[in-house]
Amino acid sequence: VLVMPEFSTDISGIIPPSLQSLIRKHKHQIERSQHRILNPRKRFRGNDPTLKQGGDPRINLELRVRRSMNQSSDDLSKLAWLEKSIFQEWLKAEVESKESSVALSSWLQESKKHQIKPCVHVGVWRRPFYIKGTYTKSRRDVAQTPFFVSSDSKSGGLVRKGCSSVEEEICPHLASVCRGISNQNNEHVLVTSDGEAVVQDGSVVYGCCKFHASGREDIDVRMLLPPPFIVKSSSSNKNITGRPFVCEVFDAYRLPTATQLDAAVKAINHSSSDDGRTEEIVHDINGWPQSLVGNDRFHGSNLNGVGVSSSLELTSSSSFSGLQAETEEKVKHYGCICWTSVMIRSDQELVEKLGCLPWDQEENSDDQCIIFPLEIKQDTPLRVLHRRSSDTRTRQILSLSARRINDHWIQLRMATSAGTYVKEFCHGDCGRTQPSISSLLGGRVDITELDCEGIEM
């Protein structure tokens, strides 16, 4: 609730001449104060077209009230924007001057005759609540959040990468079961149009469904559920699931029930159908191997490849705050297909060179011939060096199994500690990752396909 004083009659005509002179003298300072307060600085970098969550309903309410006050051009409205220190100096000078003090006294006596009534402005909003679950992604052209890059054309601008994003496939359905999200407490900006200031919706909103995930996969990496034998061979009591996420919902009209969250799951996943597809290796038109997975490796049958677990539920704020803290402690499972310049004649030769387990034999991890768990050193990869500090990180490859596809193609499956750059572990990143699959095989290695096959929780 914001209470502002308002005079029942116009008193601008009885403002002392010295005060009117002070307002005119500090005209530029008043205009700067108006601009600074009514046009808050942007809090986000980048110029992508997506809306950003931020702001405070109380501040936004005060901004709307102040902008309505600013529409008046009289001296009384401008007085509200005068710096406090300047007004105090004027008041001190008036009191010390005998002539001015008499004028000030008469003005104050005259002002008492005018009735002041409170003007009450009310803002209402709902505090954020949290919905948690896990998701899978079965396509290689879907980002985790809307992804925009600079255009190569002469006109410039931004170009969208991928057909959709995990956030866009999940958040609108959650907002729908909350009966929508209010836009009454959003931040508004002043835009000059044809010489006039027009209030428009800004790119910063208070009410929205904000998506947070425990880590992220690249746009060309699928997020799958683990194969059944991986779950059985896991030595820990932890579950291996899709990627955990928490949606922080601001200013929703309604708190969803368990039944409504179930309806959101069905809307996100679409109808689930079993086409009988099993896991296998196929070849594209260029002869490159590609892995197909069955429907038991991802949730639902969404055409954009995004699905969520059936266990969507309301959770406490601690789940949200601990989401990233737990990321560094998780074990992540990956599967990939690689090309190598080294000729591989048999599965046995591949296993011996890598010192790993044969394919689908993770339950034999106590075999003495393997070198895993393996500690590796990774310098910051060249592909992310432009946005991350240069450093050397120690990571663990906890297990590795491999099989030969043909003379130059291999398939790998591994479990790693959190934060491992798997692509760089495969090709070596020009020697910046040691050891690597490339150094173990003694030749060039290129990774053509990567899947995250579950996260231990």
Side-chain angles (χ1 to χ4, degrees):
V1 177
L2 179 65
V3 181
M4 302 289 288
E6 186 176 281
F7 289 96
S8 58
T9 57
D10 183 18
I11 65 167
S12 58
I14 62 171
I15 294 179
S18 59
L19 185 55
Q20 294 177 0
S21 176
L22 183 73
I23 292 173
R24 288 191 292 270
K25 178 182 177 181
H26 294 279
K27 176 183 176 182
H28 295 295
Q29 176 267 313
I30 291 173
E31 291 176 349
R32 287 196 302 268
S33 297
Q34 288 175 329
H35 182 78
R36 183 182 69 251
I37 296 175
L38 298 181
N39 298 276
R41 293 178 59 189
K42 290 184 178 180
R43 292 177 290 276
F44 299 92
R45 293 179 296 175
N47 57 348
D48 61 88
T50 58
L51 297 176
K52 309 295 191 301
Q53 196 284 322
D56 186 297
R58 289 156 291 198
I59 295 175
N60 293 339
L61 173 62
E62 184 177 355
L63 284 174
R64 288 195 295 271
V65 174
R66 284 182 174 272
R67 283 176 181 145
S68 65
M69 292 170 54
N70 193 45
Q71 294 175 359
S72 177
S73 59
D74 57 29
D75 290 336
L76 187 63
S77 65
K78 294 179 180 178
L79 185 61
W81 300 99
L82 199 61
E83 293 287 349
K84 182 180 178 181
S85 59
I86 297 175
F87 184 80
Q88 286 177 336
E89 288 180 8
W90 168 83
L91 189 60
K92 181 179 179 182
E94 291 291 299
V95 172
E96 292 177 351
S97 172
K98 292 183 179 180
E99 295 180 359
S100 299
S101 62
V102 173
L104 178 62
S105 177
S106 61
W107 176 63
L108 292 175
Q109 292 295 329
E110 184 68 21
S111 300
K112 291 180 180 179
K113 298 178 182 178
H114 299 268
Q115 183 181 2
I116 301 177
K117 62 178 182 180
C119 185
V120 180
H121 305 269
V122 179
V124 180
W125 63 93
R126 184 189 293 276
R127 291 184 177 180
F129 57 86
Y130 305 89
I131 301 173
K132 71 174 182 179
T134 63
Y135 76 83
T136 59
K137 179 171 73 96
S138 59
R139 289 182 55 155
R140 299 191 185 278
D141 56 353
V142 176
Q144 188 182 88
T145 55
F147 187 18
F148 294 86
V149 297
S150 299
S151 173
D152 295 331
S153 63
K154 295 181 180 179
S155 59
L158 297 174
V159 176
R160 185 189 182 109
K161 301 287 286 185
C163 67
S164 184
S165 68
V166 176
E167 177 181 322
E168 291 169 298
E169 295 297 319
I170 294 176
C171 289
H173 295 288
L174 293 183
S176 177
V177 299
C178 296
R179 287 279 179 90
I181 293 176
S182 172
N183 61 0
Q184 299 301 310
N185 296 299
N186 292 347
E187 183 177 285
H188 301 290
V189 296
L190 288 178
V191 179
T192 303
S193 177
D194 298 331
E196 295 184 1
V198 181
V199 178
Q200 294 183 356
D201 292 336
S203 60
V204 179
V205 298
Y206 176 75
C208 77
C209 184
K210 195 173 182 180
F211 184 84
H212 307 270
S214 177
R216 65 168 58 234
E217 66 281 340
D218 292 341
I219 189 173
D220 60 344
V221 176
R222 294 186 297 190
M223 179 67 233
L224 304 175
L225 298 173
F229 65 86
I230 290 288
V231 179
K232 294 179 181 178
S233 63
S234 177
S235 58
S236 67
N237 295 323
K238 297 181 179 180
N239 294 325
I240 305 179
T241 67
R243 189 174 297 279
F245 71 89
V246 172
C247 283
E248 189 177 12
V249 186
F250 292 82
D251 217 5
Y253 285 120
R254 183 177 65 182
L255 196 68
T257 64
T259 302
Q260 289 159 351
L261 289 178
D262 291 340
V265 171
K266 293 179 181 178
I268 296 168
N269 292 348
H270 298 182
S271 58
S272 179
S273 60
D274 188 0
D275 57 9
R277 187 172 64 183
T278 58
E279 186 169 349
E280 59 179 326
I281 297 292
V282 298
H283 293 78
D284 63 12
I285 58 175
N286 298 317
W288 286 24
Q290 293 181 328
S291 61
L292 294 181
V293 295
N295 287 350
D296 60 338
R297 300 289 304 281
F298 53 86
H299 299 300
S301 57
N302 187 325
L303 294 179
N304 286 329
V306 177
V308 297
S309 59
S310 58
S311 57
L312 277 185
E313 59 182 358
L314 292 170
T315 185
S316 64
S317 59
S318 60
S319 297
F320 161 68
S321 59
L323 195 63
Q324 295 303 323
E326 296 172 357
T327 300
E328 298 302 319
E329 302 174 0
K330 290 182 171 65
V331 174
K332 300 183 179 181
H333 296 262
Y334 293 94
C336 61
I337 292 179
C338 300
W339 174 89
T340 175
S341 61
V342 180
M343 180 174 288
I344 305 297
R345 296 177 178 81
S346 66
D347 285 330
Q348 183 63 29
E349 179 185 354
L350 175 63
V351 168
E352 290 177 356
K353 284 188 174 184
L354 295 179
C356 65
L357 293 168
W359 189 255
D360 289 355
Q361 293 190 22
E362 279 78 359
E363 66 274 10
N364 298 325
S365 58
D366 56 347
D367 196 324
Q368 297 300 317
C369 69
I370 64 174
I371 63 172
F372 295 87
L374 175 66
E375 183 177 281
I376 63 173
K377 302 287 186 181
Q378 291 193 303
D379 291 341
T380 303
L382 295 173
R383 64 186 172 96
V384 300
L385 195 56
H386 65 284
R387 66 176 186 268
R388 296 198 176 174
S389 59
S390 179
D391 195 7
T392 300
R393 299 168 177 85
T394 301
R395 297 291 184 258
Q396 296 284 332
I397 309 299
L398 303 175
S399 66
L400 178 72
S401 60
R403 70 171 172 177
R404 172 184 178 273
I405 298 175
N406 57 40
D407 287 349
H408 291 281
W409 289 89
I410 60 176
Q411 187 172 13
L412 306 174
R413 183 173 284 139
M414 67 190 80
T416 73
S417 60
T420 303
Y421 292 104
V422 177
K423 293 178 179 178
E424 283 66 28
F425 170 64
C426 291
H427 58 64
D429 198 28
C430 300
R432 296 172 65 84
T433 293
Q434 290 289 343
S436 64
I437 298 296
S438 176
S439 65
L440 293 174
L441 290 178
R444 179 183 169 187
V445 172
D446 286 329
I447 181 170
T448 61
E449 184 179 281
L450 177 63
D451 297 323
C452 183
E453 297 188 330
I455 300 174
E456 286 192 22
M457 296 181 62

